[in-house]
Amino acid sequence: MKGKLLALLKQSTWDLNSLLAAVDPGAAAAERNLWWVRLAEWLRHAPVHAEPGTRGDTPLPVLRLRLLLQRLEREPDARSRLARMLASTLREMDATLLLADFGFAPRMAFFSEVGERLQRRLLPGTPETRDLSELFQLVFSHPEDAEWLAAIDDETLARVSALVADALAPPEEAEEAPAAGPGGAATRWRGALLDALMFCVSQVEATAFSAEVRTRMSPQAQALVPFRQLMRSFEALRGLIEDEDGEALGLRDPGADAATAAQAGRTADLERAMSYMRAVLDACRRDAATVRDHLEEHGISVDIVFATQQLQARLDRIERLLECLLSAPGTPGAPARTGPSEAARAVQRLFVEFAQTAQHRRSVRALLARNYSLLARKVVERSAEAGEHYITRTRSEYLQMVGRAAGGGAITAITVFVKFLLTGWGLSPFFAGLAAGLNYAVSFVAIQLAHFTLATKQPAMTAPAMAARLADVGTDEAVERFVDELAHLTRTQVAGILGNVMVVLPCVWALQGLAQWALGAPLVGEAKARWAVESLSVLGWTPVFAAGTGVLLFASSLVAGWAENWFVLHRLGSALRWNPRILSRLGAARAQRWAAFLESNISGFAGNVSLGLMLGLVPAVAVFFGIHFDVRHVTLASGQLGAALGALGGQLVYEPAFWLAVAGIAVTGALNVTVSFLLAFRLALRSRNLRLRDRARIYAAVRRRLVQRPGSFLWPPRAAKVQPP
């Protein structure tokens, strides 16, 4: 029989006859588990959704399940063997690992869960296990398993329940009282549910009492009153159920006259215990939710977000297990409140949830999206606050932006010459990239400290501020306000780019001429100048490199937001103000100034330094992997073209290569701005869970503004209506 079973299990296709012939209650555990996997594959052999000609909208796996049950009812021997094999499987497997622990991380740490999911995704599973949750994931491995499990009708579910009851009942009771006899299926099932509840309650208490979670609850919730009561309420509930089981087994004899009254009293007590425990669960959820409020105010920690989500999920699991326990046959008062199939329905809902969890646990992307959404929102909000300072709404603000951008262009002129100087040192690619990155970083920080502006850093910072305007676009007035903000933003970008370009190009050209007059040769020679003109051509790789640089600009805005969140989360501002060692070295007044300075500038420092290093090192790292990538930044590219004009002379403007380079700079500016803005705007929308239901109305309003007042996107009107941020 064993050889026949292995032969049947190894074949690539199965029919019902082969499956039933392979049922062997005495087979090894791995072979029995593999049979359940093959059964699920046979049920899923056809598509999940019904096809034309099938019975209504019933999924085909459900139809196949009915066929299997009909066959078992006609063949008592096959049904008996299958029930005994199911009994062996359930007896040897640990059900609490599925009921209590499935879907939860073994450690309350986010990155350990990422590693667990990667391991599960890359390494194959084995049916040679005593963990029922592992077997469950092998059996229900299809993305649509939850759908057809939820579609099982009451009649089919009752027939499956009868088969399971036959398996759980002791052999001598299988024909007499398989579902509710003393020590039978009901008692064993309630025992597994109670053990799973005990494990879940213990885990909830451990997480809530941990310092990381407890200290981030609200002051009222830190007393942990509901969590302290949770275990006591469960123990009271368990005591009532175990008392009922003890009397059913004949351990107590209250007397025939008092039996009815005692039963009614226990039913009422159980009702009260259930209601009280559910009220305690609601209070636990409410207190656990205050952790999120604290994180939003004082900075986000992904590990704490993950632990809080696990805590809430375990509270929900306790609710599901209570539902199954309340509906279980033999529980005091259960038949009076529920129909005969309610117990099976409760288990079905739990298993549907398990099937959905099995799919979620295979997805690393879903875990990252769920746990980083709050961090993304906080990063976006901090970027939005900074981005408000980059949006001009009046002519005076517009002119101030042009002036600030001009200052940024003047500093960038020095950066361009240092870059050309570094290329002549003959450094290895990595150290050349590191030197270029440090050059960019020092330049960008100098622009920040001088309160100047680098135009291409604006889009990634202003996009979150624009997304905040989309929170309410249900009226025409709100749509018009959004278009006003879009016009403000567009002309701000124009002002920034024009201020940078109109200063950096003539400054570099003038410095080239000054060096020619004073030293007899320009700072940048003709060979490097010719290379710069050719590399900036719009017909080459310039558009691709410009788009890639836009991605780096967006990434630097994420680093800026993350750094400020980290600074706030670890309370470094308060540490700088009040740390005894810092106070003794700096003094109170200087410590206050340093704290205020870093609180205002930490985001800018992180963003500028990260952008500079990425602009220098990413091309060097790309070369290591055999990928040709170069930075195309509109301000730096304009400076390179100015250096070429100073080295090659005015006759360069008569060459086609010069105008191709000018077109390349225009495309570079457009792509730098567009790519970084769209990426930041998309992240802002996702972090706020916003949906553009009125997308068509917004597009129509933008087109109407372009036709009626195209100049408003380039120059602020004389009497611009200022909309408060």
Side-chain angles (χ1 to χ4, degrees):
M1 183 68 180
K2 181 177 180 180
K4 181 180 180 181
L5 173 62
L6 288 176
L8 289 170
L9 292 176
K10 290 178 180 179
Q11 62 188 16
S12 57
T13 59
W14 310 269
D15 56 23
L16 186 54
N17 293 328
S18 301
L19 280 172
L20 294 180
V23 174
D24 182 10
E31 297 174 10
R32 294 197 307 267
N33 294 344
L34 184 58
W35 188 91
W36 298 111
V37 176
R38 298 306 191 202
L39 174 63
E41 291 175 353
W42 176 80
L43 292 174
R44 289 191 302 263
H45 183 70
V48 172
H49 295 289
E51 297 178 349
T54 59
R55 295 173 54 185
D57 295 329
T58 304
L60 292 179
V62 178
L63 298 178
R64 287 191 164 221
L65 179 60
R66 293 176 187 172
L67 177 62
L68 171 64
L69 294 171
Q70 291 172 1
R71 181 72 174 271
L72 292 176
E73 290 168 358
R74 292 198 305 266
E75 300 180 12
D77 178 65
R79 178 186 177 90
S80 176
R81 286 189 290 109
L82 183 58
R84 284 186 283 119
M85 191 170 80
L86 177 59
S88 300
T89 300
L90 296 178
R91 185 171 54 251
E92 296 178 9
M93 307 293 283
D94 189 347
T96 58
L97 293 174
L98 176 66
L99 296 174
D101 298 322
F102 182 57
F104 302 111
R107 293 172 296 278
M108 291 298 175
F110 171 75
F111 292 103
S112 66
E113 176 66 6
V114 173
E116 177 83 12
R117 295 198 180 200
L118 287 174
Q119 176 180 329
R120 190 178 301 278
R121 189 178 186 88
L122 298 176
L123 300 181
T126 174
E128 190 176 8
T129 178
R130 293 188 66 254
D131 186 347
L132 190 58
S133 63
E134 292 185 5
L135 178 59
F136 185 91
Q137 293 178 84
L138 287 174
V139 173
F140 298 101
S141 59
H142 195 275
E144 294 182 328
D145 280 335
E147 181 179 343
W148 69 263
L149 284 173
I152 298 176
D153 57 282
D154 288 342
E155 180 185 355
T156 305
L157 194 61
R159 294 159 72 184
V160 173
S161 302
L163 178 63
V164 175
D166 289 347
L168 291 177
E172 65 274 8
E173 300 168 1
E175 296 182 359
E176 297 178 4
T187 302
R188 295 174 61 187
W189 172 241
R190 286 201 306 275
L193 288 173
L194 288 170
D195 287 343
L197 278 167
M198 180 183 64
F199 298 150
C200 285
V201 170
S202 301
Q203 289 287 346
V204 166
E205 284 190 334
T207 304
F209 292 166
S210 65
E212 293 81 3
V213 175
R214 184 184 72 250
T215 56
R216 286 170 173 82
M217 293 182 181
S218 65
Q220 297 79 9
Q222 287 184 13
L224 300 173
V225 174
F227 295 99
R228 297 175 191 273
Q229 295 174 346
L230 185 60
M231 181 59 77
R232 289 198 291 268
S233 64
F234 167 70
E235 290 295 344
L237 177 64
R238 182 167 192 162
L240 290 172
I241 296 176
E242 288 179 344
D243 286 346
E244 176 69 18
D245 289 343
E247 182 160 327
L249 291 171
L251 301 180
R252 295 183 309 277
D253 186 10
D257 295 338
T260 304
Q263 176 66 29
R266 282 192 298 271
T267 300
D269 291 342
L270 185 65
E271 288 278 6
R272 287 192 294 269
M274 285 283 190
S275 300
Y276 178 69
M277 189 168 182
R278 283 174 168 165
V280 171
L281 287 174
D282 291 338
C284 290
R285 290 192 188 95
R286 183 186 63 247
D287 288 355
T290 62
V291 176
R292 184 185 181 97
D293 299 334
H294 181 280
L295 293 175
E296 289 191 347
E297 182 178 356
H298 297 94
I300 306 302
S301 168
V302 177
D303 281 338
I304 296 175
V305 171
F306 178 70
T308 306
Q309 288 180 344
Q310 293 276 288
L311 175 61
Q312 295 279 14
R314 284 196 182 273
L315 291 171
D316 293 339
R317 177 66 58 82
I318 292 174
E319 187 81 31
R320 300 291 180 272
L321 294 176
L322 280 177
E323 180 183 353
C324 293
L325 183 64
L326 183 65
S327 305
T331 301
R337 291 188 306 273
T338 60
S341 63
E342 185 60 30
R345 275 295 174 200
V347 177
Q348 180 194 25
R349 287 190 290 268
L350 184 64
F351 272 61
V352 168
E353 183 178 307
F354 286 159
Q356 294 170 343
T357 302
Q359 292 305 313
H360 293 326
R361 282 187 60 79
R362 294 185 181 94
S363 174
V364 178
R365 179 180 179 182
L367 177 69
L368 295 173
R370 186 173 66 252
N371 286 274
Y372 274 105
S373 61
L374 190 60
L375 177 60
R377 177 177 176 180
K378 184 54 60 178
V379 168
V380 164
E381 286 177 353
R382 299 190 187 281
S383 298
E385 294 172 3
E388 289 290 348
H389 302 292
Y390 288 102
I391 300 178
T392 64
R393 296 178 175 86
T394 64
R395 286 194 174 186
S396 61
E397 292 177 349
Y398 183 87
L399 294 176
Q400 289 176 6
M401 177 59 68
V402 173
R404 292 165 58 190
I411 294 178
T412 308
I414 302 174
T415 309
V416 172
F417 282 112
V418 175
K419 177 187 177 182
F420 278 114
L421 176 64
L422 293 174
T423 57
W425 285 8
L427 299 174
S428 64
F430 174 79
F431 288 104
L434 179 61
L438 293 174
N439 174 40
Y440 296 143
V442 170
S443 173
F444 297 157
V445 170
I447 291 173
Q448 174 191 350
L449 295 178
H451 300 289
F452 294 149
T453 296
L454 190 67
T456 50
K457 282 194 63 64
Q458 297 174 4
M461 305 299 289
T462 53
M466 292 297 298
R469 304 295 192 279
L470 290 174
D472 180 18
V473 288
T475 63
D476 293 339
E477 293 78 7
V479 172
E480 287 299 321
R481 286 196 297 270
F482 175 78
V483 177
D484 288 338
E485 288 299 308
L486 185 61
H488 297 328
L489 173 63
T490 303
R491 58 176 175 257
T492 301
Q493 304 303 320
V494 172
I497 292 177
L498 289 178
N500 283 166
V501 172
M502 289 191 305
V503 172
V504 68
L505 194 151
C507 278
V508 174
W509 176 78
L511 288 174
Q512 282 278 76
L514 182 62
Q516 180 73 39
W517 174 77
L519 304 176
L523 296 175
V524 178
E526 293 187 4
K528 291 183 178 179
R530 181 64 64 182
W531 171 84
V533 173
E534 294 175 354
S535 65
L536 295 175
S537 174
V538 72
L539 300 180
W541 286 94
T542 291
V544 177
F545 294 159
T549 305
V551 175
L552 299 182
L553 291 165
F554 163 70
S556 70
S557 71
L558 294 183
V559 174
W562 174 86
E564 185 171 357
N565 176 78
W566 180 84
F567 189 88
V568 173
L569 175 67
H570 294 280
R571 306 179 63 194
L572 295 183
S574 177
L576 289 172
R577 285 186 174 90
W578 302 109
N579 183 270
R581 185 176 298 178
I582 294 176
L583 284 175
S584 63
R585 290 181 178 273
L586 299 180
R590 188 178 299 174
Q592 292 284 341
R593 289 196 301 270
W594 274 94
F597 175 78
L598 287 178
E599 286 174 348
S600 301
N601 294 279
I602 186 66
S603 175
F605 287 154
N608 287 319
V609 171
S610 63
L611 176 61
L613 293 177
M614 284 190 291
L615 292 179
L617 288 174
V618 168
V621 174
V623 168
F624 176 79
F625 290 100
I627 302 173
H628 176 56
F629 178 77
D630 200 2
V631 171
R632 288 294 182 270
H633 189 279
V634 60
T635 309
L636 296 173
S638 301
Q640 292 175 356
L641 188 60
L645 274 173
L648 301 177
Q651 65 273 15
L652 180 63
V653 299
Y654 298 105
E655 298 182 15
F658 173 80
W659 296 107
L660 289 175
V662 170
I665 291 175
V667 171
T668 297
L671 288 175
N672 286 167
V673 170
T674 303
V675 171
S676 59
F677 178 83
L678 290 179
L679 289 174
F681 191 68
R682 183 173 180 269
L683 176 66
L685 291 179
R686 293 190 61 182
S687 68
R688 295 174 181 272
N689 296 321
L690 297 177
R691 298 174 60 185
L692 299 181
R693 298 184 179 90
D694 300 316
R695 192 187 303 266
R697 294 172 56 241
I698 294 175
Y699 290 161
V702 173
R703 288 193 297 267
R704 185 166 57 251
R705 179 69 63 86
L706 284 171
V707 172
Q708 296 175 354
R709 288 186 290 164
S712 64
F713 289 90
L714 301 176
W715 179 255
R718 183 177 300 276
K721 181 180 179 181
V722 179
Q723 191 70 30

